[in-house]
Amino acid sequence: MTTLDLPPVAVPGPAGEPAPAEAAATRAPGPEKKLRIGGVTRDDVLTVAGATAGSLALDWVLYERVLPFSGAFGFLICWYLLFLAGYYLLGRLQWHPMMVRDRLVSVVAWSSGLLVVALIADQIGYVASRGWEAAQHLNFFTESMEHTGPLDGLLSGGALNAIVGSLEQLGLATLFAVPLGIAAAVFMSEVGGRMARPVRTLVEAMTALPSIVAGLFILGVVIITFGFEKSGFAASLALTVMMMPIVTRAAEVVIRLVPGTLREASYALGGSQWRTVWNVVLPTARPGLVTAVVLGMARGVGETSPVLLTSGFTSQFNGNPFEGHQVSLPLYIWNYVKQPYDAMIARGFAAGLTLMGVVLVLFVTARVLGGRRPGQLTRAQRRRISREARRMEAATLGAVARPYALQPREPQ
């Protein structure tokens, strides 16, 4: 809670009498008065509760007794609008109009955030409830579907082949897309020239490219024209086409946010352009670049149609992305949730739950690796600097003590 210390205010008294502040100064000092300028008060809670209850009751009367409306979605939308109107009216009865508008915006922001959290929790809960039946068995993560039929129980078969395929394809796509995307962003923001605008236009056009077009491009060029077979490597190329413009656009925005004074300071110290970009611009923009990589991975990890066209589908385990068909988790989900067997549907939802876990692990790893603040040293760098400081201190003390050790002693 943020507070302010209010000093006593001097109020002039009648002639010949000391001011109240002077009289208060002669008395023993009392406790300081605190003024709250933030937080949630009882009036705020009661206003929100009253607006919620009143809008719910009015919404029920309108839907059930007055207007010929029906449907849960319309009921919730109408309830929310009535809640905002009721909160505004109740606020006008007790607060200043400017304070009412400020708190109304706060309520809209809080309710929007809670709505997003509720939707995410609903999606995770629904997938988990449908897929937990299959995901609770260890064989789901240690076996493939090579020896499992559609009528076999959940104690047989799993998604190991899809998990390994997704990790390998996403890893290769990230290995290809991140250097190319960041290099393109550096070219557009730092180098420039006549080609910067055409490259930016092409990247913006590729951002809205349908995923099926990327799959068709790799299928026509790499597989049909050059004669490569369908494999995880071809699927990673298709994912690279999808991820690279996302990484490029996000990285360009982040690099442009680096202050120009840092570049000027590097040039003033004699640094070249590539050294300035490598040692100043990119380290400063590192947290934003990690976010760009995460956005690109989020785009590529859930793609199905490019993988279907370029890697094929197989129920066997294939750990070699450069040879043979290879399945991924999105393709595994697409193939099994549409089958009329309960066990296959449960495996599909369990694969969806696994995909959520894989994405969470990848995002947390990316944040840990690149989430340091600009200029923040790693633990190894701090240890190396500490060792160098101790070595220099020891050398300095030795240099100071050496002349005294070399002086001849006077005979007694």
Side-chain angles (χ1 to χ4, degrees), residues 218-219 222-224 226-235 237 309-312 318 320-326:
I218 299 299
L219 176 65
V222 177
I223 298 177
I224 297 178
F226 293 101
F228 288 89
E229 62 177 346
K230 291 185 177 181
S231 60
F233 174 72
L237 294 179
L309 292 174
T310 55
S311 72
N318 181 17
N320 185 7
F322 299 97
E323 183 179 358
H325 292 184
Q326 189 180 54

Side-chain angles (χ1 to χ4, degrees), residues 1-61:
M1 183 70 67
T2 306
T3 59
L4 289 179
D5 297 335
L6 296 179
V9 181
V11 180
E17 296 183 4
E22 298 176 0
T26 60
R27 296 193 299 267
E32 296 180 349
K33 186 178 180 180
K34 305 293 183 180
L35 177 63
R36 297 181 178 182
I37 60 174
V40 180
T41 62
R42 185 180 62 180
D43 294 338
D44 296 335
V45 176
L46 295 178
T47 303
V48 172
T52 303
S55 60
L56 178 60
L58 181 59
D59 190 25
W60 181 84
V61 170

Side-chain angles (χ1 to χ4, degrees), residues 299-318:
R299 175 66 187 274
V301 72
E303 293 294 344
T304 304
S305 55
V307 180
L308 178 62
L309 292 174
T310 55
S311 72
F313 182 86
T314 178
S315 59
Q316 300 178 357
F317 178 82
N318 181 17

Side-chain angles (χ1 to χ4, degrees), residues 390-400 402:
R390 288 195 299 267
R391 188 180 298 111
M392 293 181 62
E393 182 180 0
T396 302
L397 292 177
V400 172
R402 190 176 300 111

Side-chain angles (χ1 to χ4, degrees), residues 55-82:
S55 60
L56 178 60
L58 181 59
D59 190 25
W60 181 84
V61 170
L62 292 177
Y63 259 73
E64 298 295 334
R65 295 291 185 267
V66 179
L67 301 177
F69 293 156
S70 61
F73 182 74
F75 182 86
L76 294 177
I77 294 296
C78 186
W79 181 20
Y80 183 70
L81 296 178
L82 291 175

